[in-house]
Amino acid sequence: MTNQIHVTAENIQQVLGQTSEESIVALSFYSAQSPECMEQARILDGLAQQYAQNLVVATLDCDQQQALASQLAQQIGLQALPTLVLLKGGAPVDMLPGPQSEQQIKEALQKHLPQPQDALLQQAKEALSADNLNDAFKYAKQAYEIDANNSRIKLVLADICIQIHRLDDARSLLDTIALADQDAYFNNIKAKLDQAEQAQDSPEIQALQQAVEQDPANLDTKVNLAVAFNDAGRKEEALETLFSVLIKDLNFGEAKKNYLDIIASLPEGDALAATYRRKLYSILY
């Protein structure tokens, strides 16, 4: 479906109904007798292609649709041609009377169109709903890099960090949330983080650590400790413990498989994955 429409009395309601929180209708009051209108129509044609996903350019030819143009002109206080009215969510949000440059129109659109970080945050939420934690982290991290002061982005990223056991990162993010933004979602994430941090030093881990201290040569106990570390999100300690097993016996039980599985579970581009992949290569070759 084209995102450039000629407005008539028959389709005006349908055109206005196309606005949403993610899209804008640019209602252009136009006359072919005006050189300024012709030039602005050319600019709008280019912008319609550039913002194809979020912009509908609706042109009202005031010469051919005189009755409709007169009615709308009275409602909005039209005083010049061309005039551009931006509508979002079914309501006018901006009006640009008179001829406008491409840059002026772009600046007006960018106030109301979704920002890149908003699109990335939405992708992160969708990936999180699909239990795709790697992509969820990637998109949320990109959104955070664009707008590091956005509390909603920080909360979503912290939520994801908890689920991929990056608890220090989650705590750092929560510590920067202003008091005014500490809503129910914040409290929910904080409770999840508190619970995850408590689980990091469970009685099982403490018992296994003690057993390893008493018998450092017992590789089975070390593997069990590494598994417990990983389950608690202590991935670096899990990898280091498994590496100490692989140095002694490269083919011991499930040690190598567990080691590679932990690396694969880390987000794409994670420095920890690169470090421990190199350490494994150093004893393989």
Side-chain angles (χ1 to χ4, degrees):
M1 180 178 175
T2 180
N3 66 327
Q4 298 191 63
I5 301 170
H6 289 284
V7 179
T8 66
E10 289 73 26
N11 70 4
I12 180 67
Q13 293 303 321
Q14 179 186 358
V15 170
L16 299 181
Q18 294 192 46
T19 63
S20 70
E21 290 306 314
E22 290 75 40
S23 66
I24 288 179
V25 169
L27 178 58
S28 174
F29 289 83
Y30 164 92
S31 170
Q33 301 177 53
S34 165
E36 291 87 356
C37 287
M38 298 286 285
E39 173 59 20
Q40 187 154 299
R42 184 192 62 78
I43 293 172
L44 290 172
D45 178 67
L47 293 176
Q49 297 177 49
Q50 185 175 345
Y51 299 103
Q53 299 299 315
N54 302 103
L55 176 65
V56 174
V57 174
T59 300
L60 176 59
D61 189 322
C62 297
D63 299 324
Q64 295 184 10
Q65 302 290 330
Q66 292 184 12
L68 178 61
S70 176
Q71 178 185 350
L72 293 177
Q74 290 180 9
Q75 292 177 1
I76 67 170
L78 180 70
Q79 295 182 346
L81 288 178
T83 286
L84 196 62
V85 179
L86 304 182
L87 301 108
K88 183 175 183 180
V93 292
D94 209 344
M95 185 166 74
L96 307 176
Q100 306 288 318
S101 69
E102 180 176 352
Q103 184 59 35
Q104 287 174 313
I105 298 173
K106 275 187 174 182
E107 288 175 359
L109 289 173
Q110 286 167 359
K111 294 177 188 176
H112 307 290
L113 286 172
Q115 298 300 303
Q117 62 267 32
D118 298 329
L120 287 166
L121 184 61
Q122 183 58 36
Q123 287 178 288
K125 291 178 179 179
E126 290 171 1
L128 189 58
S129 298
D131 205 28
N132 186 342
L133 295 177
N134 200 333
D135 280 354
F137 177 79
K138 177 178 70 176
Y139 292 133
K141 187 72 162 53
Q142 289 174 355
Y144 176 73
E145 288 168 353
I146 295 172
D147 187 359
N149 295 317
N150 188 308
S151 293
R152 187 55 45 174
I153 292 174
K154 288 192 281 190
L155 288 173
V156 172
L157 181 56
D159 195 359
I160 296 167
C161 283
I162 293 169
Q163 297 189 52
I164 61 175
H165 302 297
R166 299 180 66 138
L167 303 189
D168 289 343
D169 290 342
R171 178 61 67 186
S172 296
L173 288 163
L174 289 187
D175 286 345
T176 66
I177 301 297
L179 187 62
D181 295 322
Q182 293 181 15
D183 55 9
Y185 185 38
F186 169 87
N187 290 327
N188 177 264
I189 295 172
K190 185 176 183 300
K192 286 164 63 175
L193 178 57
D194 291 342
Q195 185 177 11
E197 287 176 335
Q198 291 171 11
Q200 280 199 315
D201 197 25
S202 66
E204 177 193 7
I205 289 176
Q206 293 177 20
L208 287 167
Q209 285 176 310
Q210 187 175 7
V212 168
E213 288 174 6
Q214 293 173 353
D215 186 6
N218 190 323
L219 300 186
D220 275 318
T221 304
K222 283 190 172 183
V223 171
N224 290 336
L225 175 59
V227 170
F229 274 148
N230 184 51
D231 289 343
R234 297 165 66 172
K235 292 183 180 290
E236 185 170 3
E237 290 164 286
L239 286 167
E240 188 60 35
T241 303
L242 287 171
F243 184 70
S244 71
V245 171
L246 295 174
I247 288 178
K248 297 290 185 183
D249 184 350
L250 189 58
N251 298 306
F252 184 81
E254 296 287 302
K256 189 194 299 183
K257 179 182 182 302
N258 290 341
Y259 188 96
L260 292 173
D261 285 347
I262 294 172
I263 288 176
S265 73
L266 293 168
E268 183 180 339
D270 192 287
L272 190 63
T275 297
Y276 278 90
R277 197 175 285 115
R278 285 195 299 269
K279 293 184 77 167
L280 179 60
Y281 288 162
S282 71
I283 58 176
L284 282 174
Y285 308 108

